[in-house]
C-alpha cells in the first residue's frame, strides 16, 4: 500500500484486468469444486463431502482414532459443527466416540469397520471425480506448479503453522 502523505490515508492497490480475471476464476473454482465433489459422493455413496473427508482423515490415523479437537483442525471445521456431524455419522454406525484414555478431557473420534467399508466403497468414485475435475486436466509440470503455488498460498493463510500440509 502506498500512503498519501498529506492526509495519512492509504491508497488501495487495485487489481489490474488480468489479476481481477484470475482472482474471479479462482473464486469460482473454489466455490464450485466442493459442490461438484459432493454431488458425486451423494449420488454414489450417500455421503456429504465433509462426511467423506472426516472418514478419510480418520482412516489415515493409527488405529483409525483421533482427538475431536485435532480432527476439527484437520477438516477445517468448528468443533461444534464437527460434533453434530459426528452424531449423524455415529447414528449411521460409521464412527464411535469415547473419552481419550490418556486425558479424559478430550474425546476420541473412532472410525468403525462399517465406516471404513463405506469409505472404501466411496473412494474409487471420488478419486475418479477428483481426477476428472483437477488432476487429469493438468500436465505433470502444471500439477507440480500448482502444488507449489498452493503451498505458498496456504502458508499465507496459516503462517503460525510450521507444517501447513498437516492441516490439509
Amino acid at each position: 500500500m502506498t500512503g498519501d502523505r498529506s492526509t495519512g490515508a492509504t491508497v488501495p492497490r487495485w487489481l489490474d484486468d488480468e489479476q481481477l480475471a484470475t482472482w474471479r476464476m479462482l473464486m469460482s473454482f473454489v466455490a464450485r469444486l466442493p459442490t461438484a465433489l459432493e454431488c458425486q459422493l451423494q449420488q454414489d455413496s450417500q455421503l456429504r463431502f465433509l462426511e467423506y473427508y472426516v472418514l478419510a482423515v480418520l482412516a489415515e490415523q493409527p488405529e483409525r482414532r483421533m482427538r475431536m479437537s485435532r480432527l476439527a483442525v484437520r477438516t477445517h471445521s468448528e468443533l461444534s459443527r464437527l460434533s453434530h456431524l459426528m452424531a449423524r455419522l455415529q447414528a449411521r454406525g460409521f464412527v464411535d466416540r469415547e473419552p481419550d484414555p490418556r486425558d479424559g478431557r478430550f474425546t476420541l473420534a473412532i472410525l468403525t469397520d462399517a465406516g471404513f467399508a463405506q469409505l472404501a466403497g466411496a473412494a474409487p468414485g471420488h478419486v475418479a471425480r477428483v481426477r476428472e475435475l483437477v488432476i487429469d486436466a493438468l500436465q505433470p509440470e502444471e500439477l507440480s506448479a500448482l502444488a507449489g503455488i498452493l503451498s505458498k498460498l496456504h502458508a499465507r493463510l496459516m503462517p503460525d503453522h510450521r507444517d501447513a500440509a498437516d492441516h490439509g
Side-chain angles (χ1 to χ4, degrees):
M1 290 182 146
T2 59
D4 179 342
R5 292 184 184 185
S6 63
T7 65
T10 58
V11 177
R13 290 181 53 217
W14 299 111
L15 302 178
D16 64 29
D17 290 343
E18 182 180 2
Q19 292 167 336
L20 184 57
T22 301
W23 172 246
R24 286 181 174 160
M25 281 189 288
L26 175 62
M27 290 306 301
S28 178
F29 184 77
V30 167
R32 292 176 182 198
L33 182 61
T35 301
L37 294 172
E38 185 160 305
C39 286
Q40 175 275 317
L41 283 166
Q42 289 232 345
Q43 182 179 358
D44 293 354
S45 58
Q46 293 73 53
L47 285 174
R48 299 189 61 93
F49 178 72
L50 185 55
E51 292 171 336
Y52 178 89
Y53 194 33
V54 164
L55 298 179
V57 169
L58 286 173
E60 296 170 350
Q61 304 310 304
E63 300 179 20
R64 301 189 309 211
R65 298 168 174 258
M66 181 180 237
R67 282 185 177 174
M68 287 282 293
S69 54
R70 185 159 182 258
L71 183 60
V73 170
R74 285 286 308 272
T75 59
H76 314 288
S77 297
E78 293 178 6
L79 192 53
S80 61
R81 180 177 182 217
L82 179 63
S83 188
H84 289 293
L85 181 137
M86 292 297 288
R88 291 190 304 272
L89 290 173
Q90 195 168 9
R92 294 168 71 183
F94 297 158
V95 298
D96 280 326
R97 290 181 284 181
E98 66 183 37
D100 187 335
R102 292 179 298 203
D103 188 339
R105 296 175 297 169
F106 296 97
T107 300
L108 292 177
I110 304 155
L111 181 64
T112 65
D113 291 341
F116 187 79
Q118 181 72 13
L119 177 66
H126 177 67
V127 170
R129 187 70 170 146
V130 168
R131 284 191 157 285
E132 175 189 355
L133 295 174
V134 180
I135 306 301
D136 293 343
L138 303 172
Q139 296 297 317
E141 61 276 5
E142 291 172 320
L143 190 60
S144 180
L146 179 61
I149 292 165
L150 292 173
S151 179
K152 282 182 180 181
L153 296 176
H154 197 273
R156 287 185 173 236
L157 286 177
M158 301 186 70
D160 297 333
H161 291 62
R162 292 180 186 196
D163 183 10
D166 184 47
H167 298 281

